[in-house]
Amino acid sequence: MKIPTIISLFIAAVLSSTSAAEPLTVFIGTQTSSGGSKGIYRATLDMETGALGEPSLAVEVANPGFLELHSSGNFLYATSRGADGEGAVAAFAIGRESHELTSLNQVPSGGKGPCHVSLDPGSATVFVANYSSGSVASMQVQEDGSLAAPSSIVQHEGSSVNEKRQKGPHAHAVNTSPDGRFLYAADLGIDKLMIYVHDFETGALTPANPPFAKLAPGAGPRHFSFRPDGRFVYCLNELACTITVFSWNAKNGALTEIQTIDTLPEDFEGTNTTSEIRVHPTGNFVYAANRGHNSIAVFSVDGKTGVLTFVEREPVGGEIPRNINLDPTGSFLIAANQKSNNVPVFRVDSKTGELAATGHEIAVDRPMCIRFLEKRDWSEEGFVPIFDGKSMDGWKGEAAWFRVEDGAIVAGNLDKKIPNNFFLASANEYGDFELRFQAKYVGTSNAGVQLRSQRIPNDHEMIGYQCDIGNTRRGPVWGKIYDESRRRRFLTMGSDPVVEANVNEGDWNDITVLAEGPRVRTWVNGMLTADYTEGDPDIVPKGRFGLQIHGGPPAECWYRDIRIRGL
């Protein structure tokens, strides 16, 4: 069963073609009260050289100090100041070609001094931290990207030991857990990471049990980041200039402290506060910005324990780095140096995590935040079919468990138990690609599509990544990435309710898998469901596809319109 020769040649030509990486659009939030900046700026990042293009004003808005992007890439949200001087969150539409920003609306932030915004994994709810008033709020995203009025406003209470900075609560950052079930709020004033249960339908917040995790007195938690696999949390403490590592309990949201490590050298005697912390997409490195020492502290991560080991401190090329961010591929780090009004670019060593100045930078007055825009190309240009809708030519597997019916490959059987996992594997191997197909699952278990995988000799199994379809005992796993027969665990978290609501149970769903270098992403019905970057350099980023039906009770998974575009 071989794929027709003319199609094979077409695919080979497509998959062997190479092109320079497309530049990324970078949005830069600023402090406008100083008079030099007018709002949010945009520039382009050359993904080959690290050069930044000349910045231009994307939209005029008051004090957009912190930015976050909708997962669709169509909307941007920013902290701001309302006409009455009170805190606000502003919503903008992103121009499809120009990437200019158009105002949608602005709503109260539920407090004073908003300093941080984020979204849940499904981009259904925006969260904001209000520093001056010590409160957090949530607001739902409307269909057009605009924001509804706050559905929850939670006021923090308490104080801590630093008489200048901790007389009362100062909420500084808000992020959800990878599955979106919990919201965490770092409060610098009370030395706590507050924990809330997030209601997906209303956006409402209620205290979790436990309701918080404590930091050392005077630590001053500012920002924090989850490791991509969700097992560990890295909290940057502004006042103590330390990072506290926590393990994460996915069942109740609890955080358990593992380690606290300094960001400064032992002999530093000046004044310093920390500002931003980032985890590399592979999960192998952590970066923290020092303001005063004006450096970026780099740490390696033990993948099993989450423990950090110091690697280096790289001079930031300016003064007072308010924000740092890694591009989605983890190739470059950009810093926003608030006092020196410059935005330099550093190249990341993928093996060691070390930073090297590229020599490229741009001038922006009072830069405060860096965000990268990834726009998806949903056109069908360049795609070729790898299933003709009539036969299983080009695929190999156990014929008793696969058939062609109504233009689809049907895996499984509704009349009898499935003794073990079965796979229909592609004859060809693929490296970097975009795969699109439709899937319909009928049953109570799960199925999936293997990618960058291989047959295990003399066995029914395949080894490699799998884009899951259906449900497990833990719940829906549509679009999540499982490491079949290798690590034997999910590499990305299970579906959140927003994604689950987007699935057409028992009917056809559009699924996209994009594999570029070590990074693999999936979408279900246009919604991003997984974003994983492989951290093990020994895993070969190439292999076969495999259409799977999972062993267990009677079930069928239908696959059709299977097509690929080489990258």
Side-chain angles (χ1 to χ4, degrees):
M1 294 185 291
K2 294 184 178 180
I3 200 162
T5 303
I6 189 166
I7 296 179
S8 298
L9 292 173
F10 193 122
I11 291 176
V14 171
L15 295 183
S16 64
S17 63
T18 58
S19 59
E22 291 292 324
L24 281 181
T25 292
V26 182
F27 287 109
I28 305 168
T30 66
Q31 179 185 11
T32 63
S33 56
S34 62
S37 286
K38 295 182 178 181
I40 300 171
Y41 291 80
R42 71 179 185 280
T44 56
L45 174 66
D46 187 310
M47 293 302 294
E48 299 291 337
T49 67
L52 282 169
E54 191 67 23
S56 61
L57 184 65
V59 71
E60 191 167 338
V61 60
N63 282 339
F66 205 87
L67 316 175
E68 194 53 87
L69 289 159
H70 192 278
S71 59
S72 68
N74 294 328
F75 311 109
L76 180 146
Y77 303 95
T79 57
S80 187
R81 183 179 63 231
D84 57 1
E86 292 296 304
V89 179
F92 302 92
I94 300 173
R96 184 179 297 273
E97 300 296 335
S98 67
H99 297 167
E100 290 184 354
L101 301 178
T102 302
S103 178
L104 294 173
N105 75 332
Q106 194 173 81
V107 297
S109 67
K112 296 181 178 180
C115 60
H116 189 275
V117 290
S118 66
L119 290 98
D120 69 336
S123 289
T125 306
V126 167
F127 306 96
V128 59
N130 296 295
Y131 180 84
S132 300
S133 58
S135 61
V136 299
S138 60
M139 50 210 67
Q140 290 191 290
V141 178
Q142 308 300 294
E143 284 192 15
D144 65 351
S146 64
L147 295 174
S151 48
S152 267
I153 300 173
V154 183
Q155 179 62 53
H156 294 175
E157 303 290 342
S159 60
S160 196
V161 298
N162 188 313
E163 294 182 358
K164 290 184 178 180
R165 298 288 306 277
Q166 296 182 313
K167 291 182 179 180
H170 293 298
H172 218 312
V174 279
N175 293 307
T176 68
S177 54
D179 60 5
R181 293 170 53 231
F182 300 98
L183 179 78
Y184 296 82
D187 196 306
L188 181 147
I190 59 178
D191 287 324
K192 291 178 180 177
L193 276 173
M194 306 299 293
I195 310 173
Y196 300 99
V197 176
H198 168 222
D199 186 311
F200 284 90
E201 292 187 5
T202 66
L205 304 173
T206 55
N209 184 20
F212 58 81
K214 283 193 66 67
L215 281 300
R222 179 185 172 94
H223 285 188
F224 60 97
S225 292
F226 276 83
R227 195 169 187 262
D229 61 9
R231 293 187 297 151
F232 306 106
V233 176
Y234 299 88
C235 180
L236 184 64
N237 302 309
E238 176 179 339
L239 304 181
C241 301
T242 58
I243 299 170
T244 300
V245 184
F246 294 93
S247 62
W248 179 58
N249 185 321
K251 292 183 178 180
N252 64 6
L255 300 174
T256 302
E257 184 175 343
I258 296 173
Q259 175 196 27
T260 295
I261 189 170
D262 292 330
T263 66
L264 291 170
E266 292 183 2
D267 59 354
F268 180 71
E269 297 181 352
T271 300
N272 188 80
T273 57
T274 57
S275 60
E276 185 60 276
I277 186 165
R278 295 292 179 192
V279 181
H280 194 270
T282 61
N284 291 341
F285 311 107
V286 167
Y287 301 84
N290 286 307
R291 297 179 295 182
H293 188 257
N294 295 325
S295 64
I296 301 169
V298 182
F299 302 87
S300 62
V301 179
D302 185 307
K304 294 182 178 179
T305 66
V307 168
L308 300 179
T309 299
F310 173 72
V311 174
E312 67 161 353
R313 293 180 187 88
E314 174 73 19
V316 78
E319 295 183 72
I320 313 300
R322 174 81 177 203
N323 192 253
I324 57 173
N325 207 352
L326 293 152
D327 82 83
T329 70
S331 301
F332 296 101
L333 181 147
I334 298 180
N337 291 325
Q338 183 182 3
K339 188 175 181 180
S340 54
N341 302 323
N342 68 319
V343 179
V345 182
F346 301 84
R347 189 178 293 275
V348 179
D349 188 307
S350 61
K351 294 182 179 180
T352 67
E354 293 177 334
L355 301 175
T358 63
H360 298 298
E361 66 173 62
I362 56 174
V364 177
D365 195 78
R366 295 294 189 268
M368 299 277 281
C369 187
I370 304 293
R371 284 291 180 270
F372 299 92
L373 174 67
E374 289 188 284
K375 295 289 284 186
R376 291 291 299 115
D377 176 12
W378 292 110
S379 73
E380 287 291 318
E381 184 178 354
F383 280 87
V384 294
I386 55 174
F387 165 56
D388 61 11
K390 300 176 182 179
S391 70
M392 289 186 286
D393 287 353
W395 299 85
K396 298 179 180 179
E398 187 69 42
W401 293 97
F402 296 92
R403 69 184 190 273
V404 176
E405 182 177 327
D406 293 336
I409 293 176
V410 185
N413 193 302
L414 293 177
D415 297 323
K416 56 184 177 181
K417 183 179 178 180
I418 302 166
N420 51 248
N421 294 345
F422 288 105
F423 299 88
L424 186 69
S426 66
N428 292 332
E429 295 188 3
Y430 304 88
D432 287 0
F433 61 84
E434 181 170 357
L435 175 73
R436 293 182 185 174
F437 62 96
Q438 289 188 315
K440 175 173 64 174
Y441 182 80
V442 182
T444 58
S445 185
N446 68 301
V449 172
Q450 293 287 133
L451 54 130
R452 291 180 169 176
S453 300
Q454 297 292 346
R455 284 280 192 187
I456 298 177
N458 304 314
D459 199 290
H460 63 272
E461 288 284 359
M462 292 187 75
I463 183 170
Y465 307 117
Q466 177 169 289
C467 170
D468 257 41
I469 295 168
N471 304 277
T472 68
R473 295 175 183 176
R474 299 179 181 180
V477 290
W478 284 85
K480 300 306 169 183
I481 299 174
Y482 184 79
D483 201 6
E484 188 81 37
S485 302
R486 190 162 49 201
R487 299 180 182 97
R488 294 182 172 85
R489 63 177 173 85
F490 280 98
L491 303 177
T492 57
M493 298 300 298
S495 292
D496 62 68
V498 176
V499 173
E500 182 182 349
N502 190 49
V503 171
N504 302 315
E505 291 287 355
D507 206 343
W508 292 106
N509 294 271
D510 292 300
I511 299 176
T512 297
V513 180
L514 182 61
E516 298 175 288
R519 189 182 185 196
V520 180
R521 286 175 284 170
T522 67
W523 288 261
V524 175
N525 296 326
M527 180 176 287
L528 182 68
T529 46
D531 188 344
Y532 175 72
T533 301
E534 181 57 64
D536 186 346
D538 293 329
I539 292 179
V540 178
K542 184 179 180 180
R544 305 179 193 278
F545 294 126
L547 310 182
Q548 187 221 45
I549 187 68
H550 201 280
E556 287 182 346
C557 192
W558 294 53
Y559 302 92
R560 72 181 185 188
D561 295 339
I562 308 170
R563 55 212 191 275
I564 191 171
R565 174 166 60 191
L567 303 177

